[in-house]
Amino acid sequence: MLINLSIKNYALIDSLNVTFTSGFTTITGETGAGKSILLGGLSLVLGKRADMSSLKDKANRCIIEAVFDIKNYNLESFFEKYDLEYDPNTIIRREIHPGGKSRAFVNDSPLTLDILTKLGKRLIDIHSQHQTLQLTEHDYQLKMLDAFADNTKLLDSYTRKLHTYKTSVRELDELTEFQKNANKEYDYNTFLLDELDAVFLEDGLQENLEETYQQLNNVELILENLSKGNYLLNDENRGIISMLSELKQVSAQLSATGNKFEDLRERIDSVFIEIKDIAEEMQTLQESVEPDPAKLEEISNRLKVLYDLQRKHDVSSVSELLEVKENIAAKVGATQNLEEEIETKRNLLLKLKKDLDEDANLLTSKRADAIPEIKEKLEISLHSLGLPNATFKIEIIPTEDYKSNGRDTLSFLFSANKGSDYNTLKKVASGGELSRIMLVIKSILARYEQLPTLMFDEIDSGVSGEISNRMGDIMHDMSKYMQVFSITHLPQIASKGDHHFKVFKTDKDHSTLTQVRELLADERVFELAEMLGGKNLSDSALAHARELLN
């Protein structure tokens, strides 16, 4: 509910502050007084784009601020979604700076114009000629029928299931496409995997093969040096062991002469033992080493395969080849399991489709059940608004396509006169008829869903006095369920308001200003009388005005 509207430096408005309450509020004023300016200012805080022409004084900024009571609007999740500070009394402020820059705030939190527009639609529904054209659109008509059929929760359920279904369809398509490409690569990947399996990869393989290769490839040099080593160790005349034996005897004789030589003897004994052990090991190695051309060729071939694989996969070690093998094995395994995964996804889709069809069918059924009653309500209400022969032909046509609001196409046909063919509203309904149809629809919906504040902008254009009287009654009845505004030229509607505001112009310091104020009871009489008979107020006009108010 709109509680307060403050406008500064906008069009013909210097400074304006108006407080509103619940119920039905009518706004009147002479043509050109600035009713459209007031509505334009309100539209800015609801997200309408602005420009420099909005500024009355081009040197100063324009500030428009509106206060809304939103405690019954269930907007907490909206504020949380867009990271805005929630307050039951929400303040929206719009600033337009002289340079053309525009800024918007909700409870002092800055926000984009796009988010402000989304919020604005949840706060005030401005019924203008543009919105009347919405009535001719299929989705709006279906939305109206769903509100009447109380399909809100069912639509939420359908929407969630549709999202899950579409996601699963996309995932299945991706899996199927992946399978096509994977099958093409499967044989090649299997070949690569067999090729890597054939070399029995393990950590340290390359190092062991290279070491063995070096030994086999240098066997003559190794044998030559082992033989020379054995000769140096074991020669009877100048071998190390022979000379160490003599040195050992010398150290034994020295130690016999005193303890100070004992340590020296022990060290020489230790060296002798170590050299003897080395000699035995070199002898064993010499006996074990022998040329093996066949094994050398085998090792050479294995290393060549290993090096070729590393070049092929652009790596430089066995550990990296093992990673390549693991990745290829994963691809082969994934391809082998794809068919099973695709089959599982298909079965899931069948279940999701079944659940989705249940909601879609129930939507179709509830819509069809609601049509006779809403058709009757529309026709009865329009008969009282000067369309005595208005009739509708409304049909639900189920389709196979899953749309955002079900699987139905709505045929919403209208005939205003007896004998006339039924056709779409866009083709057969006049502007005045569309306005009355929209008013009736809004009045019906007001009882079935939480509508925001409604503002009717000269919905009564071209309407006679008696019909306008009935339109005023409808708007007043709607105000029992929500806050309703009507900008009107007709006294019959203006008199129905619980509150009556007048928009007027004044001249001040060589400039014209638009102002707004709420009329007192006596002032309403004079305003209505002037609307009935002009500036020269007659007794009959005043009496008629009092009669309208009573």
Side-chain angles (χ1 to χ4, degrees):
M1 183 178 78
L2 178 61
I3 298 175
N4 184 268
L5 179 64
S6 170
I7 302 176
K8 294 180 180 179
N9 193 35
Y10 175 74
L12 295 180
I13 297 174
D14 184 24
S15 180
L16 182 71
N17 191 292
V18 190
T19 299
F20 302 105
T21 56
S22 59
F24 183 33
T25 298
T26 55
I27 300 173
T28 61
E30 296 179 1
T31 300
K35 298 186 294 298
S36 61
I37 295 175
L38 182 68
L39 193 58
L42 180 60
S43 297
L44 285 175
V45 293
L46 300 178
K48 179 184 175 183
R49 295 196 174 277
D51 53 49
M52 280 288 292
S53 62
S54 304
L55 276 63
K56 181 179 185 298
D57 181 355
K58 307 299 182 186
N60 292 310
R61 63 179 177 169
C62 163
I63 301 177
I64 302 174
E65 192 169 274
V67 183
F68 293 90
D69 178 356
I70 63 170
K71 61 178 176 291
N72 297 323
Y73 281 32
N74 299 320
L75 287 174
E76 290 86 348
S77 59
F78 181 94
F79 278 70
E80 182 178 353
K81 177 180 179 181
Y82 293 106
D83 195 25
L84 301 172
E85 182 181 346
Y86 177 82
D87 192 313
N89 278 358
T90 281
I91 302 172
I92 301 179
R93 186 172 80 257
R94 188 81 183 276
E95 298 179 358
I96 304 160
H97 294 258
K101 185 179 179 181
S102 170
R103 301 176 69 194
F105 303 85
V106 171
N107 299 325
D108 285 330
S109 298
L111 75 167
T112 65
L113 206 57
D114 179 56
I115 298 174
L116 178 60
T117 301
K118 292 176 181 177
L119 177 60
K121 290 178 179 178
R122 306 281 291 271
L123 300 177
I124 295 186
D125 181 358
I126 298 178
H127 181 98
S128 59
Q129 183 180 7
H130 169 70
Q131 200 211 29
T132 300
L133 293 176
Q134 285 184 338
L135 182 58
T136 65
E137 298 171 0
H138 167 267
D139 284 347
Y140 188 88
Q141 295 166 356
L142 205 53
K143 181 180 178 183
M144 167 205 62
L145 182 58
D146 281 329
F148 188 82
D150 192 24
N151 281 340
T152 302
K153 290 183 179 179
L154 182 57
L155 273 170
D156 287 342
S157 172
Y158 170 85
T159 301
R160 289 194 301 271
K161 291 176 181 177
L162 179 62
H163 175 73
T164 303
Y165 177 76
K166 286 184 174 180
T167 300
S168 295
V169 168
R170 185 175 64 253
E171 290 173 349
L172 178 59
D173 289 342
E174 290 172 354
L175 276 175
T176 305
E177 185 64 27
F178 178 75
Q179 185 186 40
K180 290 179 184 177
N181 297 326
N183 285 338
K184 295 175 185 176
E185 298 176 2
Y186 177 75
D187 290 341
Y188 180 60
N189 284 332
T190 303
F191 167 76
L192 292 178
L193 189 60
D194 291 343
E195 196 175 44
L196 290 167
D197 281 336
V199 296
F200 302 102
L201 294 172
E202 61 180 1
D203 287 329
L205 172 65
Q206 183 172 339
E207 292 79 2
N208 292 335
L209 288 175
E210 288 174 343
E211 183 179 351
T212 303
Y213 177 82
Q214 288 295 326
Q215 290 178 7
L216 290 171
N217 194 45
N218 295 286
V219 66
E220 293 180 359
L221 178 63
I222 293 171
L223 285 172
E224 180 184 341
N225 282 287
L226 285 173
S227 176
K228 185 176 181 179
N230 279 322
Y231 172 76
L232 291 172
L233 288 166
N234 298 308
D235 183 70
E236 292 181 0
N237 297 319
R238 54 187 301 271
I240 295 173
I241 292 176
S242 176
M243 288 188 287
L244 276 176
S245 294
E246 292 182 20
L247 182 62
K248 185 179 178 186
Q249 292 175 4
V250 171
S251 66
Q253 292 175 2
L254 285 171
S255 66
T257 64
N259 289 333
K260 65 179 180 178
F261 299 109
E262 182 61 26
D263 182 58
L264 183 63
R265 184 192 66 78
E266 289 177 356
R267 289 169 64 190
I268 291 172
D269 285 349
S270 177
V271 169
F272 181 78
I273 294 171
E274 180 68 20
I275 292 297
K276 283 278 288 181
D277 187 58
I278 289 172
E280 291 174 1
E281 186 171 344
M282 288 191 76
Q283 183 64 39
T284 301
L285 287 171
Q286 184 176 358
E287 293 171 354
S288 67
V289 173
E290 59 180 339
D292 192 343
K295 189 173 183 180
L296 176 61
E297 184 177 1
E298 177 195 343
I299 296 297
S300 177
N301 289 335
R302 288 184 68 185
L303 280 172
K304 182 178 183 304
V305 170
L306 202 57
Y307 295 150
D308 287 345
L309 285 173
Q310 289 175 359
R311 282 192 297 272
K312 184 174 186 175
H313 295 284
D314 194 25
V315 297
S316 58
S317 66
V318 170
S319 61
E320 289 176 304
L321 272 181
L322 285 169
E323 290 181 12
V324 170
K325 178 183 173 182
E326 185 178 344
N327 291 334
I328 294 174
K331 290 179 182 178
V332 171
T335 304
Q336 292 171 337
N337 296 328
L338 266 179
E339 193 59 48
E340 181 180 347
E341 189 175 352
I342 287 173
E343 186 61 27
T344 301
K345 183 66 72 175
R346 283 179 179 147
N347 291 333
L348 174 63
L349 269 178
L350 288 175
K351 183 181 183 307
L352 291 173
K353 186 177 185 299
K354 181 182 177 182
D355 292 344
L356 189 61
D357 285 342
E358 287 179 0
D359 280 1
N361 292 336
L362 187 55
L363 277 171
T364 300
S365 176
K366 291 185 70 175
R367 287 164 176 169
D369 291 343
I371 285 175
E373 186 177 354
I374 195 171
K375 177 179 181 296
E376 181 183 12
K377 287 180 179 293
L378 284 171
E379 291 173 352
I380 291 174
S381 296
L382 286 175
H383 294 168
S384 67
L385 291 178
L387 296 173
N389 299 312
T391 55
F392 292 90
K393 184 183 288 185
I394 308 172
E395 294 178 349
I396 291 292
I397 306 170
T399 68
E400 293 301 317
D401 297 330
Y402 293 108
K403 293 180 276 193
S404 62
N405 51 9
R407 292 190 312 179
D408 300 326
T409 296
L410 182 66
S411 175
F412 197 93
L413 305 179
F414 174 70
S415 174
N417 305 297
K418 285 184 177 180
S420 297
D421 291 336
Y422 286 95
N423 213 323
T424 60
L425 289 172
K426 186 181 296 185
K427 292 183 177 179
V428 297
S430 66
E433 289 167 344
L434 281 175
S435 292
R436 278 176 268 186
I437 294 171
M438 180 62 95
L439 174 61
V440 168
I441 287 174
K442 295 284 189 185
S443 68
I444 294 172
L445 291 182
R447 301 169 185 266
Y448 295 95
E449 68 171 337
Q450 181 66 48
L451 294 176
T453 292
L454 282 174
M455 181 166 288
F456 294 102
D457 182 19
E458 299 185 356
I459 193 175
D460 48 36
S461 296
V463 175
S464 65
E466 182 53 37
I467 301 304
S468 65
N469 192 53
R470 176 58 188 146
M471 291 177 75
D473 287 335
I474 291 175
M475 285 186 267
H476 190 271
D477 287 342
M478 292 173 66
S479 70
K480 297 174 184 177
Y481 305 96
M482 71 199 67
Q483 185 185 40
V484 179
F485 290 85
S486 178
I487 298 174
T488 181
H489 286 292
L490 296 179
Q492 290 85 353
I493 291 179
S495 66
K496 303 289 183 181
D498 300 311
H499 315 280
H500 186 164
F501 286 80
K502 181 175 182 177
V503 182
F504 59 96
K505 288 181 180 179
T506 60
D507 294 329
K508 180 182 178 182
D509 298 332
H510 306 292
S511 65
T512 301
L513 303 176
T514 290
Q515 296 187 13
V516 180
R517 67 182 181 87
E518 185 173 4
L519 299 179
L520 302 175
D522 289 343
E523 292 174 321
R524 290 188 72 180
V525 173
F526 286 105
E527 175 68 9
L528 293 177
E530 191 172 301
M531 294 173 73
L532 286 164
K535 292 289 186 180
N536 297 321
L537 299 179
S538 64
D539 291 340
S540 61
L542 290 168
H544 192 184
R546 291 189 183 94
E547 184 181 350
L548 286 174
L549 284 171
N550 292 327

